[in-house]
Amino acid sequence: MKNIKPLIVLAAFLIALTLIIPAVLVLPFSSEKASGKLGEDLAKKPAAQETTSPSSDSAIDVAVFRTAKSAIEETPLEDYLVGVVAAEMPADFNEEALKAQALTARTYIVNRLLKNDTMGAPKGSQVTDTPQLHQAYIDDAQQRKNWGKDYDWKKKKIIEAVRSTSGQILTYNGEPINATFFSTSNGFTENSEDYWSGNIPYLRSVTSPWDKESPKFTNQKVITVKEFESRLGVKIGSSTALGKIVARTEGKRVAKVDFNGKVLSGKDIREKLDLKSSDFSWERKGGNIVITTRGYGHGVGMSQYGANGMAAEGKNYKDIVQYYYKGVEVTSAENMLATITAKK
């Protein structure tokens, strides 16, 4: 019996120990409410870490026709979007403006890929790298050349903007929108039908006062009277009257100019004279005509300098896009991206 008692005591001690240790291990967490999270506060993770995970854009390639090389390059969607943002918006813009630009770029290409739209793209490609046809795009080599010693921070900033909006696009009534954008407004954006044909409900004129800070807000161009007459197909001779503005758009741009019975639209004049904007005025000085414009671009959709101004005031990228595109939603594109992947 003397030998049995120590064994009983030892066994009891070991049993008690096995019960106490798990309880001790659980105690540090038992005072907190259950949250369904691991023991790591993900909210405190630095922003740089949040954007290093694989992007939902990475499963798709875009066939880009490189105009200078006359060659097609298969580019991962994320790299394509980085190249578009790098080409279309200054990297020193506010992060939220860059995110808004990334969102418009993704919306554009996803919409195009979903519809198998290859209009304007040479056979075998899906899009070109020129803004006149599609979206501007520059590859990593061109980014390095353009940015020089600033390459590292600019590249990182744009990658973070693209990844922060990964898998998101802009939709209206569940469909990807035509997310048009331009550099600088004249203080207002333009209704779609005032520059192009067709009333698009989300492309409505809004005020954009931030653009007045843009270095591209005003511009002057001087052309000869002869060139003016030739390009517009009008005759002004020695007259100082250079046509009369008979209508303006809601966005305060020139809608129509009457040249002694010949009426031209502001868009026609802008394109024929290669002006920065269709908000223009002019005056004759001897044998020349001095043309002053306000704004830079067609004026429809998101103003890039306006977006940067909004971001500087604390607005986020969703605030920005929902201001310039009326009634749109920032939507997950996961199903659409999966559809595009399945087509390959």
Side-chain angles (χ1 to χ4, degrees):
M1 291 292 291
K2 288 182 180 181
N3 292 333
I4 292 173
K5 285 183 179 179
L7 289 174
I8 292 172
V9 171
L10 179 60
F13 175 75
L14 290 174
I15 290 170
L17 193 61
T18 59
L19 294 173
I20 291 169
I21 289 175
V24 171
L25 291 174
V26 171
L27 275 175
F29 307 97
S30 62
S31 61
E32 299 180 7
K33 295 179 180 179
S35 64
K37 296 180 181 179
L38 293 174
E40 177 182 358
D41 187 357
L42 298 180
K44 294 180 181 179
K45 186 178 287 187
Q49 285 182 267
E50 292 175 353
T51 58
T52 55
S53 58
S55 162
S56 60
D57 299 329
S58 59
I60 297 172
D61 287 338
V62 181
V64 185
F65 181 79
R66 305 309 311 281
T67 307
K69 302 176 184 177
S70 292
I72 298 171
E73 293 179 2
E74 290 281 343
T75 306
L77 177 56
E78 181 177 288
D79 292 344
Y80 171 72
L81 295 173
V82 168
V84 170
V85 176
E88 294 282 10
M89 181 175 275
D92 56 0
F93 268 26
N94 188 285
E95 290 86 349
E96 295 302 314
L98 290 166
K99 290 177 188 178
Q101 185 70 66
L103 193 54
T104 65
R106 185 182 296 100
T107 301
Y108 175 85
I109 194 63
V110 167
N111 192 24
R112 192 170 174 85
L113 295 177
L114 274 175
K115 295 176 179 177
N116 290 320
D117 180 5
T118 58
M119 184 178 293
K123 185 177 181 180
S125 67
Q126 296 164 314
V127 71
T128 69
D129 58 6
T130 59
Q132 293 80 7
L133 290 173
H134 305 117
Q135 300 187 114
Y137 164 83
I138 55 175
D139 60 17
D140 185 73
Q142 189 62 51
Q143 293 162 30
R144 287 181 181 277
K145 182 178 178 181
N146 291 356
W147 295 333
K149 61 182 177 59
D150 294 325
Y151 169 83
D152 286 341
W153 72 263
K154 288 187 174 183
K155 181 80 169 191
K156 180 182 178 183
K157 189 175 179 182
I158 290 178
I159 288 175
E160 288 179 351
V162 170
R163 291 188 177 178
S164 292
T165 63
S166 178
Q168 298 176 9
I169 63 168
L170 292 165
T171 61
Y172 184 84
N173 288 340
E175 297 294 325
I177 72 167
N178 184 9
T180 60
F181 58 88
F182 60 97
S183 170
T184 304
S185 82
N186 64 340
F188 302 84
T189 66
E190 196 83 300
N191 288 330
S192 60
E193 67 273 16
D194 287 334
Y195 199 81
W196 298 306
S197 61
N199 181 317
I200 300 176
Y202 50 82
L203 295 178
R204 300 294 88 201
S205 177
V206 298
T207 60
S208 191
W210 310 277
D211 301 63
K212 292 177 182 177
E213 302 302 319
S214 167
K216 300 179 181 180
F217 185 68
T218 59
N219 182 263
Q220 276 197 341
K221 180 174 186 173
V222 180
I223 63 174
T224 65
V225 170
K226 185 177 180 180
E227 185 179 4
F228 184 89
E229 291 177 325
S230 174
R231 290 194 185 188
L232 298 183
V234 299
K235 287 292 182 183
I236 58 174
S238 60
S239 173
T240 56
L242 307 179
K244 182 179 181 181
I245 296 173
V246 295
R248 283 191 178 270
T249 66
E250 188 176 342
K252 314 302 180 186
R253 292 164 180 79
V254 175
K256 294 179 181 179
V257 179
D258 187 346
F259 294 92
N260 296 318
K262 180 174 181 176
V263 179
L264 295 176
S265 71
K267 177 186 177 183
D268 284 341
I269 294 171
R270 180 199 172 207
E271 293 176 350
K272 288 178 178 180
L273 297 183
D274 192 25
L275 303 179
K276 303 299 185 185
S277 165
S278 55
D279 181 2
F280 52 77
S281 59
W282 52 48
E283 63 177 326
R284 181 169 184 160
K285 291 190 175 182
N288 293 323
I289 295 174
V290 180
I291 306 171
T292 302
T293 55
R294 295 206 310 169
Y296 192 117
H298 49 66
V300 183
M302 184 183 77
S303 163
Q304 293 172 313
Y305 273 89
N308 197 45
M310 288 185 70
E313 292 183 356
K315 303 297 185 183
N316 64 39
Y317 73 99
K318 292 183 180 180
D319 296 327
I320 293 167
V321 295
Q322 289 177 328
Y323 179 77
Y324 283 109
Y325 306 108
K326 292 304 178 185
V328 303
E329 294 182 347
V330 178
T331 306
S332 170
E334 297 295 339
N335 292 337
M336 297 179 193
L337 293 171
T339 299
I340 293 168
T341 304
K343 289 179 180 179
K344 299 198 171 188

